[in-house]
Amino acid sequence: MTALIPEAASPLIDSERQPQQVIPVMAEVAEIETLVEHTGTVRFRKVVHHDTQPVDGTGFQDVVDTQRMPVNQVVACAEPPYRRGGVLVIPVYEERWVRQLFLKEEVHITTRRERLSPDTTTVELRREELVKERFDPVTQRWTPDPS
């Protein structure tokens, strides 16, 4: 004769009648810490090198000629400076006591370029270099860093 065991008390599962298994659930948590460590001191220094080089060349020089041209003429109104060809003309006015505008003179300014004789001269050229140095705590000196 078989005895009936109530289902709540049975350690077996209904359909397959196998014992229940308990699987524990576990979780891992990672903690990351950063550690600041002084490993050395680095500095950058700019070095300027001066080199002189000879330069051959012909230069130019601008020469300005000024001429005062008397006009002595009555005009109706004043005009601003103007160009006539390659000449800058600057009118110079004077008011007379009879309230006439009188063009007293014009100043003519001409600029011409003259070539200088060929010349050899030296010029100083600068060149910059950036140097990376590391401080050596043993010798207490800055040394060039090869990297």
Side-chain angles (χ1 to χ4, degrees):
M1 169 167 183
T2 58
L4 292 176
I5 301 173
E7 288 185 17
S10 171
L12 302 176
I13 296 179
D14 295 345
S15 63
E16 303 169 5
R17 296 285 188 209
Q18 295 181 0
Q20 288 183 347
Q21 296 181 1
V22 177
I23 301 173
V25 177
M26 298 174 62
E28 292 186 36
V29 177
E31 290 185 22
I32 299 174
E33 294 181 14
T34 57
L35 176 65
V36 177
E37 183 179 335
H38 183 77
T39 59
T41 304
V42 176
R43 76 175 178 185
F44 290 90
R45 188 170 49 92
K46 187 180 355 177
V47 179
V48 179
H49 302 280
H50 299 272
D51 299 324
T52 55
Q53 292 184 350
V55 176
D56 293 328
T58 302
F60 294 94
Q61 174 181 331
D62 289 333
V63 178
V64 177
D65 291 326
T66 304
Q67 295 178 339
R68 294 180 175 267
M69 309 292 290
V71 175
N72 295 321
Q73 175 182 338
V74 176
V75 293
C77 63
E79 292 183 20
Y82 61 92
R83 288 203 172 270
R84 184 184 303 149
V87 177
L88 174 63
V89 178
I90 302 174
V92 178
Y93 296 98
E94 171 182 279
E95 279 188 348
R96 301 278 170 100
W97 67 273
V98 270
R99 300 295 297 162
Q100 291 179 329
L101 186 60
F102 194 77
L103 178 59
K104 180 179 174 181
E105 66 179 339
E106 292 178 338
V107 178
H108 292 209
I109 301 174
T110 307
T111 304
R112 69 179 188 280
R113 179 165 283 184
E114 293 180 353
R115 176 176 279 191
L116 299 175
S117 61
D119 187 21
T120 300
T121 185
T122 59
V123 294
E124 184 175 298
L125 302 175
R126 293 182 302 249
R127 180 177 46 88
E128 296 180 342
E129 175 187 9
L130 192 62
V131 178
K132 180 181 177 186
E133 297 175 326
R134 186 171 294 277
F135 185 73
D136 186 359
V138 175
T139 63
Q140 298 290 311
R141 293 183 182 239
W142 291 96
T143 57
D145 189 17
S147 61

